[in-house]
Amino acid sequence: EQQSFRKIKLRIDEVQGKNCLTNFHGMYFTSDKLLSLVRKWQTLIEAHVDVKTTDSYRLIRLFVLAFTKRRPNQVRKTTYAQTSQIHEIQEIFEIMTGEASSCDLKELVQRFVPEAIGRKIEKHTRNIYPLQNVYLRQAKILKAPKFDVSKLLELHAESTDVVSKIKIDYE
């Protein structure tokens, strides 16, 4: 329920009887969450990066969203960042490239939910300008390899093991 603002799109690649084998197709924020984040008197910083995963499975475009934060003991009403600071921060957003290219697609999707990438970016940009509400706003699949049933079954092998264990525990 805390993550209900994050919509994940899945694509059905294979149907086996009554079971559908799905694969990640994209992730985006709901418009109400985006609108609730935007406020007056702060700077909105956006950037995007194209990433290829380690399994060279897909080419993904990741969009990041961040807002400037008031410094401690700040008297001024506004928290606007200068253009040079915004450009420096956007260069640091390249952390996403390192994070995403060091894992396969399955691990990358699991990193979206706890916002580990956003916290890392916040930490690295603290000395340029403090940021708040750093989120991975959207992930688009740009390029996918040709459909391979064996890779899809390998991806779903672990999830079916978990489902069968749950059924056994339930009975």
Side-chain angles (χ1 to χ4, degrees), residues 75-92:
V75 178
R76 193 170 25 143
K77 178 182 178 182
T78 62
T79 56
Y80 296 137
Q82 295 176 345
T83 308
S84 60
Q85 291 170 324
I86 292 172
H87 289 304
E88 280 184 66
I89 290 171
Q90 286 173 339
E91 288 173 13
I92 291 180

Side-chain angles (χ1 to χ4, degrees), residues 81-144:
Q82 295 176 345
T83 308
S84 60
Q85 291 170 324
I86 292 172
H87 289 304
E88 280 184 66
I89 290 171
Q90 286 173 339
E91 288 173 13
I92 291 180
F93 285 166
E94 296 296 320
I95 291 171
M96 290 187 300
T97 308
E99 283 284 315
S101 60
S102 66
C103 62
D104 63 345
L105 183 69
K106 188 176 179 180
E107 291 173 21
L108 182 62
V109 172
Q110 289 173 346
R111 289 184 187 183
F112 289 164
V113 176
E115 278 306 322
I117 297 172
R119 280 194 298 277
K120 237 181 193 180
I121 291 171
E122 256 181 75
K123 197 166 132 185
H124 284 286
T125 58
R126 208 174 281 152
N127 59 357
I128 299 170
Y129 206 100
L131 297 179
Q132 65 183 355
N133 297 330
V134 180
Y135 290 108
L136 200 63
R137 174 178 68 88
Q138 188 174 14
K140 287 183 181 178
I141 303 292
L142 299 178
K143 202 179 213 180

Side-chain angles (χ1 to χ4, degrees), residues 26-44:
M27 188 264 312
Y28 60 96
F29 267 27
T30 57
S31 57
D32 63 322
K33 176 64 175 179
L34 285 172
L35 294 174
S36 71
L37 290 172
V38 177
R39 292 192 206 112
K40 289 168 74 173
W41 318 122
Q42 65 183 4
T43 304
L44 164 69

